[in-house]
């Protein structure tokens, strides 16, 4: 089968399209014929091996443990192991696996969910990593309540477009922060107000928010806290700034360490693969209350270009690989 392969850590342009053996489903595996695969910042980290902390945590010290990158997946079940009870060949599914940038990939049944019929494979492939991060940031880290004023920083990106829609669904008044070119998109998915960060510093104004979900990761904790209500909650979802060792994770850790000493709640989001949350997201999509936003698609041979486009910050919503 065809697959994108990475033998050693390095820049995305070093990825190669090769013929490798088709995986065989073990007793607990679901073999998925991949139709589409999502691109997120986590893929860049796994391809480049940065920050180095990831290597120490088990992704491989000198080379990736998994030759084929890609996590988020959507496709049809090709075969199942004898212990798999939730799916059968022909089922349309989405979720996460190891190595989705290939024609076939193996996944555990608890990492997959039935694909809603009202969304495409491309949309379904955009869901798992970003939608779960948004859902868990709002529901589990912050326990968002109806009527609260919520600020989503990075509202036009992959996680942000899900966070805006989910916060609105949970009854919040939502303000999105994004660049000029993404403002119309953020309004179209339900934001009550949109701030163009290239023209306005939201941390310097008089407005205070009950909850700030910080996805963009470019502002200090002290500046974010100025925009937060005295007993508000800040959820640090991620950051792509920082050194080779921690890549901005230190800011989230500092937030969690500071939280016990201030009236505001400062949370570090550690997004987890969670079957219950994935099912909640699936039901929202099936009901038409949550729609994945796909900026553009690339072919399997164009994976390096897709990763570079995402890293440049151009994407309005999600970037997806079609297989």
């Amino acid at each position: 089968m065809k697959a994108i392969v990475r033998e050693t850590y390095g820049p995305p342009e070093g990825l190669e399209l090769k013929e490798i053996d088709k995986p065989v489903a073990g007793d607990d595996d679901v073999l998925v014929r991949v139709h589409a695969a999502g691109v997120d910042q986590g893929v860049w980290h796994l391809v480049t091996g940065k920050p180095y902390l990831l290597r120490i945590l088990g992704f491989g010290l000198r080379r990736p443990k998994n030759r084929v990158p890609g996590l988020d997946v959507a496709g049809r079940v090709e075969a199942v192991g004898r212990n798999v009870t939730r799916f059968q060949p022909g089922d349309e599914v989405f979720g996460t696996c190891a190595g989705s940038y290939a024609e076939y990939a193996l996944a555990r049944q608890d990492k997959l969910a039935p694909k809603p019929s009202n969304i495409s494979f491309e949309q379904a492939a955009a869901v798992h990593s970003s939608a779960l991060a948004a859902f868990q940031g709002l529901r589990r880290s912050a326990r968002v309540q109806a009527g609260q004023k919520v600020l989503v920083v990075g509202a036009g990106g992959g996680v942000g477009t899900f966070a805006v829609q989910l916060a609105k669904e949970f009854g919040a008044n939502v303000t999105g922060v994004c660049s000029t070119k993404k403002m119309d998109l953020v309004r179209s998915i339900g934001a009550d107000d949109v701030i163009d960060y290239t023209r306005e510093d939201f941390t310097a104004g008089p407005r205070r928010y009950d909850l700030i979900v910080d996805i963009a990761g470019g502002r200090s904790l002290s500046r974010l806290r100025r925009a937060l209500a005295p007993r508000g909650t800040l959820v640090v979802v991620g950051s792509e700034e920082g050194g080779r060792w921690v890549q901005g994770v230190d800011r989230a850790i500092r937030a969690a360490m500071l939280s016990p000493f201030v009236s505001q709640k400062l949370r570090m989001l550690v997004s987890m693969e969670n079957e219950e949350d994935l099912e909640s997201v699936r039901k929202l999509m099936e009901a038409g209350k949550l729609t994945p936003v796909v900026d553009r698609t690339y072919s399997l041979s164009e994976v390096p270009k897709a990763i570079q486009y995402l890293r440049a910050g151009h994407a309005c919503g999600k970037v997806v690989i079609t297989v």
Side-chain angles (χ1 to χ4, degrees):
M1 69 169 188
K2 292 180 181 179
I4 290 292
V5 176
R6 159 51 41 92
E7 303 290 355
T8 59
Y9 291 122
E13 52 266 32
L15 293 167
E16 297 181 83
L17 182 63
K18 290 185 175 181
E19 287 282 345
I20 64 173
D21 292 337
K22 179 180 175 180
V24 177
D27 290 346
D28 301 307
D29 295 327
V30 177
L31 178 63
V32 178
R33 171 67 173 93
V34 180
H35 285 253
V39 183
D40 62 88
Q41 298 291 353
V43 170
W44 180 86
H45 292 300
L46 295 178
V47 165
T48 61
K50 296 177 182 178
Y52 296 148
L53 179 62
L54 291 179
R55 304 189 191 190
I56 297 172
L57 292 176
F59 290 96
L61 286 177
R62 295 189 176 183
R63 63 186 63 189
K65 285 187 176 180
N66 187 10
R67 300 172 65 210
V68 181
L71 299 170
D72 293 356
V73 67
R76 284 190 174 88
V77 175
E78 179 83 2
V80 297
R82 63 180 180 179
N83 295 333
V84 175
T85 58
R86 294 182 55 212
F87 302 105
Q88 59 185 6
D91 288 348
E92 296 183 349
V93 296
F94 75 102
T96 188
C97 66
S100 61
Y101 294 169
E103 292 180 312
Y104 294 90
L106 292 175
R108 285 169 38 187
Q109 63 177 332
D110 61 335
K111 305 299 183 185
L112 298 172
K115 183 185 78 68
S117 60
N118 58 334
I119 67 169
S120 66
F121 283 111
E122 289 78 14
Q123 288 175 308
V127 172
H128 189 276
S129 296
S130 296
L132 286 194
F135 185 90
Q136 292 172 6
L138 289 164
R139 268 298 195 220
R140 300 198 179 279
S141 296
R143 302 185 184 277
V144 64
Q145 300 294 318
Q148 286 187 324
K149 295 180 180 179
V150 175
L151 183 75
V152 179
V153 184
V159 178
T161 50
F162 283 112
V164 169
Q165 294 180 75
L166 288 169
K168 284 298 297 180
E169 174 60 23
F170 299 149
N173 180 282
V174 182
T175 298
V177 179
C178 61
S179 62
T180 308
K181 76 168 188 175
K182 300 181 182 182
M183 293 180 71
D184 288 343
L185 167 65
V186 175
R187 288 194 186 95
S188 73
I189 58 176
D192 298 286
D193 192 16
V194 183
I195 296 174
D196 180 352
Y197 73 80
T198 68
R199 300 180 179 180
E200 179 182 350
D201 180 2
F202 67 87
T203 67
R207 286 182 284 186
R208 298 292 178 266
Y209 300 90
D210 302 300
L211 167 62
I212 297 177
V213 181
D214 180 45
I215 303 159
R219 294 162 185 82
S220 67
L221 293 178
S222 59
R223 288 177 62 192
L224 290 170
R225 289 183 59 208
R226 286 202 296 268
L228 195 61
R231 296 194 175 276
T233 300
L234 166 66
V235 178
V236 180
V237 176
S239 175
E240 293 304 311
E241 299 185 0
R244 296 179 179 179
W245 281 95
V246 293
Q247 194 78 35
V249 175
D250 58 322
R251 192 176 66 112
I253 294 173
R254 283 187 281 110
M257 293 176 63
L258 177 62
S259 187
F261 304 101
V262 298
S263 62
Q264 297 159 327
K265 299 179 181 66
L266 312 179
R267 303 281 189 251
M268 174 179 67
L269 175 68
V270 180
S271 183
M272 304 293 290
E273 296 173 1
N274 184 302
E275 186 176 356
E276 179 184 351
D277 292 347
L278 182 59
E279 178 62 14
S280 296
V281 168
R282 186 194 71 80
K283 288 180 177 178
L284 287 169
M285 291 192 297
E286 193 171 58
K289 297 178 179 180
L290 182 65
T291 303
V293 177
V294 176
D295 178 303
R296 62 178 64 185
T297 62
Y298 291 84
S299 68
L300 192 58
S301 63
E302 295 176 309
V303 164
K305 291 182 181 178
I307 296 174
Q308 290 164 347
Y309 178 74
L310 177 73
R311 289 293 294 179
H314 299 315
C316 296
K318 293 287 294 185
V319 177
V320 172
I321 304 300
T322 56
V323 181

